[in-house]
Amino acid sequence: MDQIIPILISAFTGIIVAILTWKFQLRTELSKILENYVSEKKYKAYYNAVNLFYRTMSNSKSKENKDTITFQDMIKVKQDLFMYGSDESFKAFTEYLCSSIDKDEKNSFEDFLNFMIIIRKELSGGRSTIDGNDLLLNLMQSEIELQKFHLGVL
């Protein structure tokens, strides 16, 4: 009888350790699944926000085949950024929206560039070295136009 008690205690301890290990692994796996899901949604939210900007820019340049950007498109971008974007990106996008209502195009554009830089840094793990001038040059495709923009000629 004295030999049975230590055997039962060690068996019971082994079962408890196995159960706790299983629960910990399950929690870790679920956490990773949720993290991947949110990361994918964040990427999509950022893509949709940038896509909305490029669609708007394309519409302003094109005289034919205007792509209609609906109120629902904007609401979806806002909703996704609120749910999945970082605080910094959400605030930067909100600043852009507020400045775009004020009709100061240069400040509005700079606010959007700031938003795009934040997105780049987040998606690259903070390793992006692109700044506002790099983005402007990419959009304008001309050093002369970039200089005019900075001088306020455009």
Side-chain angles (χ1 to χ4, degrees), residues 4-18:
I4 294 178
I5 291 176
I7 293 172
L8 289 176
I9 289 174
S10 65
F12 183 68
T13 303
I15 291 171
I16 289 176
V17 168

Side-chain angles (χ1 to χ4, degrees), residues 99-149:
S99 66
S100 68
I101 290 175
D102 296 337
K103 303 295 183 199
D104 184 357
E105 288 184 27
K106 185 173 182 181
N107 285 340
S108 176
F109 200 65
E110 288 173 355
D111 287 338
F112 193 79
L113 290 175
N114 181 44
F115 171 66
M116 290 178 68
I117 290 168
I118 289 169
I119 288 174
R120 288 276 309 177
K121 285 188 178 174
E122 286 186 23
L123 294 178
S124 70
R127 293 182 306 268
S128 178
T129 59
I130 291 177
D131 63 12
N133 283 331
D134 295 325
L135 288 172
L136 280 171
L137 185 57
N138 177 269
L139 292 170
M140 295 177 175
Q141 301 173 0
S142 167
E143 294 268 351
I144 295 169
E145 294 296 317
L146 180 61
Q147 289 172 354
K148 286 180 183 178
F149 177 80

Side-chain angles (χ1 to χ4, degrees), residues 57-71:
M57 192 173 69
S58 175
N59 284 346
S60 68
K61 301 269 184 199
S62 175
K63 294 186 182 352
E64 56 190 53
N65 291 336
K66 294 268 184 187
D67 180 20
T68 306
I69 297 172
T70 66
F71 180 70

Side-chain angles (χ1 to χ4, degrees), residues 51-102:
N51 187 42
L52 185 71
F53 171 76
Y54 278 101
R55 284 173 53 199
T56 302
M57 192 173 69
S58 175
N59 284 346
S60 68
K61 301 269 184 199
S62 175
K63 294 186 182 352
E64 56 190 53
N65 291 336
K66 294 268 184 187
D67 180 20
T68 306
I69 297 172
T70 66
F71 180 70
Q72 292 301 321
D73 293 335
M74 180 61 80
I75 292 295
K76 179 71 174 141
V77 167
K78 287 180 176 183
Q79 177 185 6
D80 288 347
L81 283 175
F82 173 74
M83 292 296 295
Y84 306 111
S86 69
D87 291 351
E88 189 178 14
S89 66
F90 178 78
K91 288 176 182 178
F93 189 72
T94 301
E95 283 181 38
Y96 159 67
L97 292 176
C98 291
S99 66
S100 68
I101 290 175
D102 296 337

Side-chain angles (χ1 to χ4, degrees), residues 25-42:
Q25 287 177 340
L26 181 63
R27 187 177 309 155
T28 302
E29 285 181 36
L30 290 176
S31 176
K32 285 182 181 180
I33 290 169
L34 181 61
E35 188 177 305
N36 287 339
Y37 176 77
V38 169
S39 179
E40 184 179 314
K41 289 291 194 174
K42 178 191 247 186

